[in-house]
Amino acid sequence: MGLGAVGEQVARRAAAFDMTDVYAGRRPVPEEAAARLGGARHVPLEELLRLSDHVTLHAPLTDGTRHLLNAERLALRRPTAFVIDTARGALIDQDALADALEAGALAGAGLDAFDPEPPPPALRLLKAPNVVLSPHVGGVTRETVVRIALAAVQNAAGFLTGERPGDVVS
């Protein structure tokens, strides 16, 4: 769900394993980008949920994406399906996901993001079956830490010389 920079990297890796990539998002990517991804096909969200064995979330959190995966949409998944969220915890209704996992309606979930962060000790997903949890550091490697630190230094140095920082959060 979402084929921006991160979603595209996941799709490239999936295509390398001969997985068929389908994606849902606000708009289809250009045909040449889809071809690079082994012919990734844009489909409506509900179709993606019915078709896919593995759904990975790569969307920003907005009013329109909060609880994008709710009880009704999770019910579209097969009991052999997996959900992976490395983006924003609030993209999934966490109680509905816990219900689905506890009922055996999903094979499993991998979560690297929670709502709120850090997750409270009472969060049902902490004890749900077939779930792998990490503290929103799943993508942190030595290389990414160095890249983030260098970008911060470059932004600060540029700001001090009157340049507009490259990474602005409003």
Side-chain angles (χ1 to χ4, degrees):
M1 294 171 52
L3 199 61
V6 174
E8 184 173 331
Q9 291 300 316
V10 171
R12 286 181 54 224
R13 285 158 177 80
F17 285 97
D18 291 328
M19 296 172 88
T20 302
D21 286 330
V22 294
Y23 68 97
R26 290 178 285 188
R27 58 190 164 279
V29 298
E31 286 184 34
E32 60 274 5
R36 279 195 316 270
L37 301 173
R41 188 168 49 95
H42 185 259
V43 297
L45 176 57
E46 286 71 18
E47 184 177 348
L48 172 98
L49 294 171
R50 280 191 286 275
L51 287 174
S52 302
D53 295 314
H54 303 86
V55 169
T56 62
L57 305 179
H58 310 285
L61 180 60
T62 66
D63 290 339
T65 61
R66 180 174 298 279
H67 291 182
L68 190 65
L69 286 188
N70 55 25
E72 294 78 25
R73 287 187 172 134
L74 287 168
L76 297 173
R77 310 284 294 133
R78 296 186 289 245
T80 55
F82 293 83
V83 172
I84 302 161
D85 182 8
T86 60
R88 300 289 176 259
L91 294 173
I92 301 176
D93 177 334
Q94 294 176 141
D95 285 327
L97 179 58
D99 289 343
L101 290 166
E102 290 165 0
L106 281 177
L111 305 175
D112 188 47
F114 304 91
D115 181 33
E117 286 186 340
L123 182 69
R124 287 174 51 210
L125 286 171
L126 296 176
K127 294 185 173 118
N130 300 328
V131 65
V132 175
L133 309 170
S134 64
H136 211 156
V137 295
V140 177
T141 63
R142 178 184 304 255
E143 292 81 9
T144 59
V145 170
V146 169
R147 191 170 51 242
I148 290 167
L150 287 174
V153 168
Q154 290 169 343
N155 282 333
F159 179 78
L160 292 174
T161 61
E163 297 174 28
R164 180 175 167 79
D167 302 300
V168 177
V169 178
S170 57

